Amino acid sequence: MSSTVSPLAPTDVPEMPAISGVKLATAAAGIRYKGRTDVLLAILDKGTTVAGVFTRSKCPSAPVEWCRAKLGRGQARALVVNSGNANAFTGKTGRQSTALTASIAAKAVGCQASDIYLASTGVIGEPLDATKFDGVLGDLAAKTAPEGWMDAARAIMTTDTFPKVATATVKLGKAKVTINGMAKGAGMIAPDMATMLSFIFTDAPISASALQSLLKTGVEDTFNAVTIDGDTSTSDTLLAFATGTAAARGAPKISRPSDPRLKAFTKAFHAVLADLAEQVARDGEGARKLVEIIVEGAVSKASARRIAMSIANSPLVKTAIAGEDANWGRVVMAVGKAGEPANRDKLSISFNGIRVAQRGARDPSYDEAEVSNAMKQPKIQIKVALGLGKGRDRVLTCDLTKEYVAINGDYRS
Protein backbone atom coordinates (compact mmCIF):
# COMPACT_ATOMS: atom_id res chain seq x y z
CA MET A 1 0.00 0.00 0.00
CA SER A 2 1.60 3.22 -1.19
CA SER A 3 1.60 6.46 0.80
CA THR A 4 1.46 8.38 -2.48
CA VAL A 5 -2.00 8.32 -4.02
CA SER A 6 -2.26 7.90 -7.78
CA PRO A 7 -2.93 11.18 -9.63
CA LEU A 8 -5.69 9.27 -11.45
CA ALA A 9 -7.58 8.44 -8.25
CA PRO A 10 -11.29 9.38 -8.36
CA THR A 11 -12.02 12.77 -6.84
CA ASP A 12 -15.54 11.78 -5.81
CA VAL A 13 -15.67 8.86 -3.41
CA PRO A 14 -19.21 7.63 -2.70
CA GLU A 15 -20.74 7.30 0.73
CA MET A 16 -21.14 3.57 1.13
CA PRO A 17 -24.54 2.72 2.64
CA ALA A 18 -25.20 -0.23 4.91
CA ILE A 19 -26.61 -3.38 3.33
CA SER A 20 -29.01 -5.40 5.40
CA GLY A 21 -27.53 -8.81 6.07
CA VAL A 22 -23.87 -7.74 5.76
CA LYS A 23 -21.61 -6.84 8.69
CA LEU A 24 -17.90 -6.01 8.37
CA ALA A 25 -14.80 -5.68 10.52
CA THR A 26 -11.05 -5.44 9.93
CA ALA A 27 -7.95 -6.10 12.00
CA ALA A 28 -4.16 -6.31 11.91
CA ALA A 29 -3.14 -9.96 12.02
CA GLY A 30 0.52 -9.29 11.19
CA ILE A 31 0.51 -11.42 8.05
CA ARG A 32 3.21 -9.32 6.38
CA TYR A 33 2.61 -5.62 6.93
CA LYS A 34 3.29 -3.65 10.07
CA GLY A 35 1.11 -0.88 11.39
CA ARG A 36 -1.92 -1.53 9.19
CA THR A 37 -4.95 -3.78 8.89
CA ASP A 38 -4.56 -6.88 6.75
CA VAL A 39 -7.60 -9.06 7.36
CA LEU A 40 -11.27 -8.51 6.57
CA LEU A 41 -14.21 -10.48 7.94
CA ALA A 42 -17.66 -10.05 6.40
CA ILE A 43 -20.50 -11.92 8.13
CA LEU A 44 -23.57 -12.67 6.00
CA ASP A 45 -27.10 -13.49 7.10
CA LYS A 46 -28.41 -17.02 6.77
CA GLY A 47 -29.89 -17.57 3.33
CA THR A 48 -27.24 -15.52 1.52
CA THR A 49 -26.56 -16.79 -1.99
CA VAL A 50 -23.14 -16.60 -3.65
CA ALA A 51 -21.66 -16.57 -7.15
CA GLY A 52 -18.07 -16.37 -8.28
CA VAL A 53 -15.63 -16.27 -11.16
CA PHE A 54 -11.95 -17.05 -10.77
CA THR A 55 -8.61 -16.95 -12.51
CA ARG A 56 -8.02 -19.28 -15.44
CA SER A 57 -4.39 -19.58 -14.37
CA LYS A 58 -3.15 -23.17 -14.30
CA CYS A 59 -1.37 -22.31 -11.05
CA PRO A 60 -4.27 -21.06 -8.89
CA SER A 61 -3.94 -20.19 -5.22
CA ALA A 62 -5.24 -22.42 -2.45
CA PRO A 63 -8.12 -20.00 -1.63
CA VAL A 64 -9.24 -20.05 -5.28
CA GLU A 65 -9.39 -23.85 -5.18
CA TRP A 66 -11.27 -23.69 -1.86
CA CYS A 67 -13.91 -21.31 -3.22
CA ARG A 68 -14.37 -23.24 -6.46
CA ALA A 69 -15.02 -26.41 -4.49
CA LYS A 70 -17.67 -24.72 -2.31
CA LEU A 71 -19.41 -22.60 -4.96
CA GLY A 72 -21.78 -25.35 -6.09
CA ARG A 73 -23.60 -25.20 -2.75
CA GLY A 74 -24.66 -21.66 -3.63
CA GLN A 75 -24.72 -20.36 -0.08
CA ALA A 76 -22.39 -18.36 2.15
CA ARG A 77 -22.20 -17.14 5.72
CA ALA A 78 -18.88 -15.31 5.77
CA LEU A 79 -15.98 -14.00 3.73
CA VAL A 80 -12.39 -13.82 5.02
CA VAL A 81 -9.79 -11.87 3.05
CA ASN A 82 -6.15 -11.30 3.92
CA SER A 83 -3.53 -9.16 2.26
CA GLY A 84 0.25 -9.54 2.25
CA ASN A 85 0.34 -13.24 1.38
CA ALA A 86 -1.38 -14.83 -1.63
CA ASN A 87 -1.20 -18.39 -0.27
CA ALA A 88 -0.33 -19.43 -3.81
CA PHE A 89 2.24 -22.03 -4.86
CA THR A 90 2.31 -23.23 -1.27
CA GLY A 91 1.41 -26.88 -1.88
CA LYS A 92 -0.09 -29.01 0.87
CA THR A 93 0.72 -26.34 3.44
CA GLY A 94 -1.43 -23.87 1.54
CA ARG A 95 -4.39 -26.22 1.46
CA GLN A 96 -4.02 -26.85 5.18
CA SER A 97 -3.94 -23.09 5.77
CA THR A 98 -7.22 -22.55 3.94
CA ALA A 99 -8.88 -25.36 5.87
CA LEU A 100 -7.62 -23.98 9.18
CA THR A 101 -8.69 -20.43 8.31
CA ALA A 102 -12.17 -21.63 7.37
CA SER A 103 -12.42 -23.69 10.55
CA ILE A 104 -11.42 -20.74 12.73
CA ALA A 105 -13.87 -18.45 10.91
CA ALA A 106 -16.70 -20.99 11.11
CA LYS A 107 -16.26 -21.28 14.86
CA ALA A 108 -16.25 -17.49 15.22
CA VAL A 109 -19.34 -17.02 13.05
CA GLY A 110 -21.25 -20.13 14.13
CA CYS A 111 -21.61 -21.96 10.84
CA GLN A 112 -20.07 -24.74 8.76
CA ALA A 113 -16.60 -24.31 7.29
CA SER A 114 -18.09 -25.00 3.86
CA ASP A 115 -20.06 -21.74 4.15
CA ILE A 116 -16.86 -19.70 4.53
CA TYR A 117 -15.32 -18.07 1.44
CA LEU A 118 -11.66 -17.13 1.37
CA ALA A 119 -9.39 -14.86 -0.65
CA SER A 120 -5.73 -13.97 -0.23
CA THR A 121 -3.49 -11.50 -2.02
CA GLY A 122 0.18 -10.63 -1.77
CA VAL A 123 3.44 -12.47 -2.18
CA ILE A 124 3.37 -15.80 -4.04
CA GLY A 125 5.27 -18.81 -2.71
CA GLU A 126 5.42 -17.88 0.97
CA PRO A 127 3.52 -20.16 3.40
CA LEU A 128 0.59 -18.46 5.11
CA ASP A 129 0.58 -18.91 8.88
CA ALA A 130 -3.15 -19.34 9.46
CA THR A 131 -2.66 -19.64 13.21
CA LYS A 132 -2.40 -15.84 13.17
CA PHE A 133 -6.15 -15.77 12.52
CA ASP A 134 -6.86 -17.66 15.75
CA GLY A 135 -8.35 -15.19 18.19
CA VAL A 136 -8.33 -12.39 15.62
CA LEU A 137 -11.39 -13.71 13.77
CA GLY A 138 -13.21 -14.34 17.03
CA ASP A 139 -12.66 -10.74 18.10
CA LEU A 140 -13.69 -9.51 14.65
CA ALA A 141 -16.92 -11.50 14.71
CA ALA A 142 -17.92 -9.66 17.88
CA LYS A 143 -17.05 -6.28 16.34
CA THR A 144 -18.69 -6.57 12.93
CA ALA A 145 -21.05 -3.76 11.99
CA PRO A 146 -23.00 -2.64 8.90
CA GLU A 147 -20.61 0.29 8.42
CA GLY A 148 -16.90 0.26 7.62
CA TRP A 149 -16.85 -0.29 3.86
CA MET A 150 -13.86 1.99 3.31
CA ASP A 151 -11.93 0.29 6.12
CA ALA A 152 -12.73 -3.05 4.49
CA ALA A 153 -11.44 -1.87 1.11
CA ARG A 154 -8.21 -0.59 2.74
CA ALA A 155 -7.54 -3.86 4.54
CA ILE A 156 -7.35 -5.83 1.29
CA MET A 157 -4.90 -3.45 -0.45
CA THR A 158 -1.33 -4.41 -1.41
CA THR A 159 0.41 -2.02 -3.85
CA ASP A 160 -2.86 -0.13 -4.34
CA THR A 161 -2.66 3.60 -3.63
CA PHE A 162 -6.34 4.10 -2.80
CA PRO A 163 -9.30 1.96 -1.68
CA LYS A 164 -11.71 1.11 -4.48
CA VAL A 165 -15.44 1.15 -3.75
CA ALA A 166 -18.64 1.65 -5.73
CA THR A 167 -22.33 1.62 -4.92
CA ALA A 168 -25.73 1.79 -6.61
CA THR A 169 -29.34 1.83 -5.46
CA VAL A 170 -32.11 0.60 -7.72
CA LYS A 171 -35.70 -0.55 -7.52
CA LEU A 172 -36.49 -4.24 -7.68
CA GLY A 173 -40.23 -4.61 -7.77
CA LYS A 174 -41.54 -2.09 -5.24
CA ALA A 175 -38.48 -2.15 -3.02
CA LYS A 176 -35.19 -0.31 -3.20
CA VAL A 177 -32.16 -2.57 -3.16
CA THR A 178 -28.51 -1.67 -2.76
CA ILE A 179 -25.40 -2.96 -4.50
CA ASN A 180 -22.01 -2.30 -2.87
CA GLY A 181 -18.67 -3.36 -4.28
CA MET A 182 -14.99 -3.17 -3.43
CA ALA A 183 -11.89 -4.20 -5.33
CA LYS A 184 -8.15 -4.31 -5.01
CA GLY A 185 -5.60 -4.51 -7.75
CA ALA A 186 -2.81 -2.40 -9.21
CA GLY A 187 -0.41 -4.88 -10.78
CA MET A 188 -0.45 -8.42 -12.21
CA ILE A 189 -3.70 -7.41 -13.89
CA ALA A 190 -4.95 -9.04 -17.08
CA PRO A 191 -7.87 -10.77 -15.48
CA ASP A 192 -9.22 -13.26 -18.03
CA MET A 193 -12.33 -13.53 -15.79
CA ALA A 194 -12.38 -10.94 -13.00
CA THR A 195 -9.70 -8.90 -11.27
CA MET A 196 -7.17 -9.43 -8.51
CA LEU A 197 -9.85 -9.42 -5.80
CA SER A 198 -13.35 -7.96 -5.93
CA PHE A 199 -16.44 -8.47 -3.81
CA ILE A 200 -20.00 -7.42 -4.55
CA PHE A 201 -22.82 -7.39 -1.99
CA THR A 202 -26.54 -6.80 -2.38
CA ASP A 203 -29.70 -7.26 -0.33
CA ALA A 204 -31.66 -8.34 -3.42
CA PRO A 205 -33.28 -11.80 -3.21
CA ILE A 206 -31.56 -13.50 -6.14
CA SER A 207 -30.90 -17.22 -6.52
CA ALA A 208 -27.33 -18.45 -6.78
CA SER A 209 -27.80 -19.58 -10.37
CA ALA A 210 -29.25 -16.24 -11.49
CA LEU A 211 -26.51 -14.37 -9.66
CA GLN A 212 -23.88 -16.55 -11.31
CA SER A 213 -25.27 -15.74 -14.75
CA LEU A 214 -25.30 -12.01 -13.99
CA LEU A 215 -21.72 -12.13 -12.77
CA LYS A 216 -20.38 -14.19 -15.66
CA THR A 217 -21.98 -11.84 -18.18
CA GLY A 218 -21.05 -8.72 -16.25
CA VAL A 219 -17.29 -9.31 -16.15
CA GLU A 220 -16.87 -9.58 -19.91
CA ASP A 221 -16.98 -5.85 -20.70
CA THR A 222 -15.75 -4.66 -17.30
CA PHE A 223 -13.01 -6.55 -15.48
CA ASN A 224 -12.18 -8.71 -18.47
CA ALA A 225 -11.67 -5.53 -20.49
CA VAL A 226 -8.94 -4.15 -18.21
CA THR A 227 -5.22 -4.81 -18.34
CA ILE A 228 -2.35 -3.21 -16.45
CA ASP A 229 0.61 -5.33 -17.49
CA GLY A 230 -0.74 -8.40 -19.29
CA ASP A 231 -0.14 -10.74 -16.33
CA THR A 232 -3.00 -12.85 -14.98
CA SER A 233 -2.79 -13.45 -11.25
CA THR A 234 -2.90 -16.81 -9.49
CA SER A 235 -5.44 -15.29 -7.10
CA ASP A 236 -8.01 -13.52 -9.31
CA THR A 237 -11.32 -13.80 -7.48
CA LEU A 238 -14.65 -12.03 -7.95
CA LEU A 239 -17.42 -13.05 -5.57
CA ALA A 240 -20.98 -11.74 -5.38
CA PHE A 241 -23.23 -12.21 -2.36
CA ALA A 242 -27.00 -11.63 -2.20
CA THR A 243 -28.45 -11.61 1.32
CA GLY A 244 -32.06 -11.54 0.10
CA THR A 245 -33.19 -9.38 3.02
CA ALA A 246 -34.97 -6.96 0.66
CA ALA A 247 -37.65 -9.62 0.20
CA ALA A 248 -39.10 -8.51 3.54
CA ARG A 249 -39.56 -5.04 2.03
CA GLY A 250 -41.40 -6.34 -1.03
CA ALA A 251 -38.60 -7.17 -3.46
CA PRO A 252 -39.59 -10.17 -5.60
CA LYS A 253 -37.52 -13.32 -5.39
CA ILE A 254 -35.57 -13.77 -8.63
CA SER A 255 -34.70 -17.26 -9.79
CA ARG A 256 -33.95 -16.65 -13.49
CA PRO A 257 -31.48 -14.14 -15.00
CA SER A 258 -33.98 -13.54 -17.83
CA ASP A 259 -36.66 -12.33 -15.40
CA PRO A 260 -37.83 -8.97 -16.86
CA ARG A 261 -38.06 -7.52 -13.34
CA LEU A 262 -34.27 -7.79 -13.15
CA LYS A 263 -33.58 -5.34 -15.99
CA ALA A 264 -32.85 -2.23 -13.91
CA PHE A 265 -30.91 -4.26 -11.33
CA THR A 266 -28.74 -5.81 -14.05
CA LYS A 267 -27.86 -2.37 -15.40
CA ALA A 268 -26.92 -1.12 -11.94
CA PHE A 269 -24.96 -4.31 -11.18
CA HIS A 270 -22.93 -3.89 -14.37
CA ALA A 271 -22.36 -0.21 -13.55
CA VAL A 272 -20.79 -1.14 -10.20
CA LEU A 273 -18.52 -3.67 -11.90
CA ALA A 274 -17.52 -1.11 -14.55
CA ASP A 275 -16.78 1.54 -11.92
CA LEU A 276 -14.53 -0.81 -9.96
CA ALA A 277 -12.77 -2.03 -13.11
CA GLU A 278 -11.96 1.53 -14.15
CA GLN A 279 -10.60 2.28 -10.68
CA VAL A 280 -8.24 -0.68 -11.04
CA ALA A 281 -6.97 0.79 -14.32
CA ARG A 282 -6.60 4.20 -12.68
CA ASP A 283 -4.45 2.68 -9.94
CA GLY A 284 -2.08 0.76 -12.21
CA GLU A 285 1.31 0.56 -10.56
CA GLY A 286 3.17 3.78 -11.31
CA ALA A 287 0.44 4.96 -13.69
CA ARG A 288 0.13 8.59 -14.72
CA LYS A 289 -2.28 8.13 -17.63
CA LEU A 290 -5.60 6.33 -17.92
CA VAL A 291 -5.80 4.88 -21.44
CA GLU A 292 -9.00 3.98 -23.24
CA ILE A 293 -8.59 1.93 -26.40
CA ILE A 294 -11.49 1.66 -28.84
CA VAL A 295 -11.32 -0.62 -31.84
CA GLU A 296 -14.13 -0.40 -34.38
CA GLY A 297 -14.76 -1.68 -37.87
CA ALA A 298 -13.43 -5.13 -36.99
CA VAL A 299 -14.84 -8.35 -38.42
CA SER A 300 -16.33 -9.20 -34.99
CA LYS A 301 -16.42 -8.00 -31.39
CA ALA A 302 -14.06 -10.83 -30.41
CA SER A 303 -11.58 -9.74 -33.07
CA ALA A 304 -11.83 -6.13 -31.89
CA ARG A 305 -11.15 -7.27 -28.30
CA ARG A 306 -8.01 -9.16 -29.30
CA ILE A 307 -6.68 -6.19 -31.26
CA ALA A 308 -7.49 -3.78 -28.44
CA MET A 309 -5.69 -6.01 -25.94
CA SER A 310 -2.70 -6.27 -28.25
CA ILE A 311 -2.45 -2.48 -28.19
CA ALA A 312 -3.15 -2.22 -24.45
CA ASN A 313 -0.50 -4.79 -23.51
CA SER A 314 2.24 -3.44 -25.77
CA PRO A 315 5.14 -2.08 -23.66
CA LEU A 316 6.12 0.13 -26.61
CA VAL A 317 2.67 1.71 -26.83
CA LYS A 318 2.45 2.12 -23.06
CA THR A 319 5.89 3.71 -22.71
CA ALA A 320 5.17 6.09 -25.59
CA ILE A 321 2.06 7.24 -23.73
CA ALA A 322 4.11 7.66 -20.56
CA GLY A 323 6.46 9.89 -22.56
CA GLU A 324 3.47 11.80 -24.02
CA ASP A 325 4.57 10.76 -27.50
CA ALA A 326 1.81 10.16 -30.05
CA ASN A 327 3.79 7.38 -31.68
CA TRP A 328 1.04 5.94 -33.84
CA GLY A 329 3.56 3.67 -35.54
CA ARG A 330 3.58 1.57 -32.37
CA VAL A 331 -0.19 1.27 -32.54
CA VAL A 332 0.12 0.06 -36.14
CA MET A 333 2.64 -2.49 -34.91
CA ALA A 334 0.28 -3.74 -32.19
CA VAL A 335 -2.63 -4.03 -34.63
CA GLY A 336 -0.50 -5.96 -37.08
CA LYS A 337 0.83 -8.46 -34.55
CA ALA A 338 -2.59 -9.30 -33.09
CA GLY A 339 -3.17 -12.03 -35.65
CA GLU A 340 -6.61 -10.68 -36.51
CA PRO A 341 -7.96 -9.49 -39.88
CA ALA A 342 -6.64 -6.00 -40.67
CA ASN A 343 -5.94 -4.06 -43.85
CA ARG A 344 -3.14 -1.53 -43.62
CA ASP A 345 -4.62 0.64 -46.36
CA LYS A 346 -8.01 0.93 -44.63
CA LEU A 347 -6.63 1.63 -41.16
CA SER A 348 -7.10 4.95 -39.36
CA ILE A 349 -5.86 5.96 -35.90
CA SER A 350 -6.82 8.83 -33.59
CA PHE A 351 -5.41 10.12 -30.30
CA ASN A 352 -7.92 12.01 -28.14
CA GLY A 353 -10.11 12.66 -31.15
CA ILE A 354 -7.29 13.87 -33.41
CA ARG A 355 -6.77 11.65 -36.44
CA VAL A 356 -3.08 11.01 -36.91
CA ALA A 357 -3.09 8.27 -39.54
CA GLN A 358 -5.43 7.03 -42.24
CA ARG A 359 -5.38 4.75 -45.30
CA GLY A 360 -1.95 3.37 -44.57
CA ALA A 361 -0.16 6.70 -44.08
CA ARG A 362 0.13 9.72 -41.82
CA ASP A 363 -2.94 11.95 -41.95
CA PRO A 364 -2.40 14.90 -44.35
CA SER A 365 -3.53 17.37 -41.68
CA TYR A 366 -1.25 15.94 -38.97
CA ASP A 367 -0.01 18.66 -36.62
CA GLU A 368 2.73 17.52 -34.23
CA ALA A 369 2.18 20.41 -31.79
CA GLU A 370 -1.57 19.80 -31.59
CA VAL A 371 -1.18 16.09 -30.95
CA SER A 372 1.65 16.58 -28.44
CA ASN A 373 -0.54 18.93 -26.46
CA ALA A 374 -3.37 16.37 -26.45
CA MET A 375 -0.99 13.71 -25.11
CA LYS A 376 -0.42 15.77 -21.96
CA GLN A 377 -3.95 15.02 -20.77
CA PRO A 378 -4.38 12.55 -17.86
CA LYS A 379 -6.76 10.44 -19.96
CA ILE A 380 -5.74 9.29 -23.42
CA GLN A 381 -8.13 7.73 -25.91
CA ILE A 382 -6.70 5.71 -28.77
CA LYS A 383 -9.26 4.90 -31.45
CA VAL A 384 -8.49 2.47 -34.24
CA ALA A 385 -10.90 2.13 -37.19
CA LEU A 386 -10.25 -0.99 -39.26
CA GLY A 387 -12.89 -0.48 -41.95
CA LEU A 388 -13.64 -4.19 -42.28
CA GLY A 389 -16.95 -4.77 -40.50
CA LYS A 390 -19.17 -3.82 -37.57
CA GLY A 391 -17.17 -5.35 -34.71
CA ARG A 392 -16.38 -2.93 -31.88
CA ASP A 393 -14.83 -3.20 -28.43
CA ARG A 394 -13.29 -1.08 -25.69
CA VAL A 395 -10.59 -1.85 -23.13
CA LEU A 396 -8.88 0.16 -20.41
CA THR A 397 -5.21 0.23 -19.48
CA CYS A 398 -2.62 2.71 -18.25
CA ASP A 399 0.84 3.89 -19.20
CA LEU A 400 4.07 2.11 -18.24
CA THR A 401 6.43 4.25 -16.18
CA LYS A 402 9.74 3.94 -14.35
CA GLU A 403 7.74 3.66 -11.12
CA TYR A 404 6.25 0.36 -12.31
CA VAL A 405 9.75 -1.08 -12.59
CA ALA A 406 10.70 0.31 -9.17
CA ILE A 407 7.60 -1.15 -7.49
CA ASN A 408 8.06 -4.59 -9.00
CA GLY A 409 11.83 -4.71 -8.85
CA ASP A 410 11.78 -5.04 -5.07
CA TYR A 411 8.21 -6.26 -4.41
CA ARG A 412 9.23 -9.17 -2.17
CA SER A 413 11.91 -7.29 -0.31
Side-chain angles (χ1 to χ4, degrees):
M1 183 166 62
S2 172
S3 59
T4 303
V5 177
S6 168
L8 303 173
T11 54
D12 295 322
V13 180
E15 290 287 334
M16 299 294 288
I19 289 185
S20 177
V22 181
K23 295 187 295 182
L24 308 162
T26 63
I31 301 299
R32 179 169 181 249
Y33 306 115
K34 294 181 180 179
R36 56 155 287 189
T37 56
D38 59 2
V39 61
L40 160 67
L41 173 65
I43 297 181
L44 310 162
D45 275 8
K46 290 181 180 179
T48 296
T49 58
V50 60
V53 287
F54 307 94
T55 181
R56 290 185 181 133
S57 170
K58 300 301 182 183
C59 300
S61 68
V64 166
E65 291 184 322
W66 173 274
C67 291
R68 277 179 176 155
K70 306 297 180 284
L71 198 63
R73 302 179 74 247
Q75 61 187 45
R77 287 296 316 284
L79 167 70
V80 179
V81 188
N82 76 269
S83 58
N85 187 310
N87 195 12
F89 209 69
T90 47
K92 182 179 179 181
T93 300
R95 293 188 289 274
Q96 291 172 337
S97 292
T98 57
L100 179 57
T101 303
S103 176
I104 294 170
K107 183 179 179 181
V109 174
C111 67
Q112 299 180 43
S114 55
D115 290 336
I116 304 294
Y117 283 78
L118 307 173
S120 300
T121 180
V123 173
I124 294 170
E126 295 290 336
L128 173 63
D129 183 3
T131 61
K132 290 186 176 182
F133 296 126
D134 201 6
V136 172
L137 291 179
D139 290 342
L140 282 180
K143 296 176 181 177
T144 55
E147 301 81 21
W149 291 90
M150 291 300 292
D151 289 340
R154 289 189 185 95
I156 65 176
M157 292 164 59
T158 52
T159 58
D160 306 64
T161 72
F162 61 87
K164 301 166 183 64
V165 294
T167 185
T169 301
V170 66
K171 267 199 165 186
L172 182 59
K174 296 181 179 180
K176 284 187 176 181
V177 298
T178 303
I179 306 165
N180 282 359
M182 68 181 81
K184 67 82 51 188
M188 202 184 286
I189 301 288
D192 198 22
M193 46 49 66
T195 186
M196 284 284 286
L197 296 181
S198 187
F199 310 104
I200 312 296
F201 303 84
T202 182
D203 52 357
I206 302 177
S207 70
S209 59
L211 192 61
Q212 184 68 38
S213 181
L214 282 178
L215 194 64
K216 188 175 180 180
T217 301
V219 298
E220 286 308 314
D221 290 328
T222 58
F223 285 123
N224 275 6
V226 170
T227 178
I228 300 300
D229 45 27
D231 286 332
T232 297
S233 172
T234 59
S235 307
D236 286 347
T237 297
L238 171 55
L239 294 169
F241 303 95
T243 67
T245 55
R249 303 194 304 275
K253 295 183 179 180
I254 304 296
S255 59
R256 297 178 295 107
S258 59
D259 191 317
R261 296 172 296 181
L262 204 56
K263 185 176 180 180
F265 180 90
T266 300
K267 184 177 180 180
F269 187 82
H270 287 191
V272 169
L273 295 179
D275 191 337
L276 293 172
E278 180 171 318
Q279 290 185 56
V280 169
R282 287 180 175 274
D283 204 19
E285 290 171 342
R288 294 295 179 267
K289 307 279 189 184
L290 175 67
V291 185
E292 178 187 43
I293 298 169
I294 297 173
V295 175
E296 58 189 21
V299 295
S300 67
K301 176 179 170 64
S303 182
R305 169 66 61 88
R306 286 188 281 269
I307 292 170
M309 280 295 188
S310 179
I311 298 167
N313 283 323
S314 167
L316 290 176
V317 172
K318 292 160 75 73
T319 50
I321 293 169
E324 300 181 342
D325 177 13
N327 193 335
W328 50 266
R330 293 183 177 181
V331 177
V332 173
M333 172 277 298
V335 172
K337 75 168 186 175
E340 291 297 316
N343 185 323
R344 177 198 61 204
D345 297 331
K346 292 184 177 182
L347 189 68
S348 69
I349 299 168
S350 299
F351 286 89
N352 277 3
I354 303 170
R355 193 170 62 191
V356 296
Q358 70 167 149
R359 297 176 184 173
R362 185 171 67 181
D363 192 282
S365 61
Y366 181 85
D367 183 326
E368 182 73 29
E370 179 188 25
V371 181
S372 293
N373 186 58
M375 296 300 291
K376 298 183 185 301
Q377 299 300 312
K379 181 176 179 179
I380 305 297
Q381 183 194 81
I382 299 174
K383 181 179 283 188
V384 174
L386 297 170
L388 300 178
K390 296 182 179 180
R392 185 183 189 277
D393 205 19
R394 168 185 178 268
V395 303
L396 293 175
T397 188
C398 60
D399 56 346
L400 181 59
T401 67
K402 295 177 182 178
E403 286 77 14
Y404 178 89
V405 178
I407 290 167
N408 287 284
D410 62 1
Y411 179 66
R412 285 204 313 144
S413 55

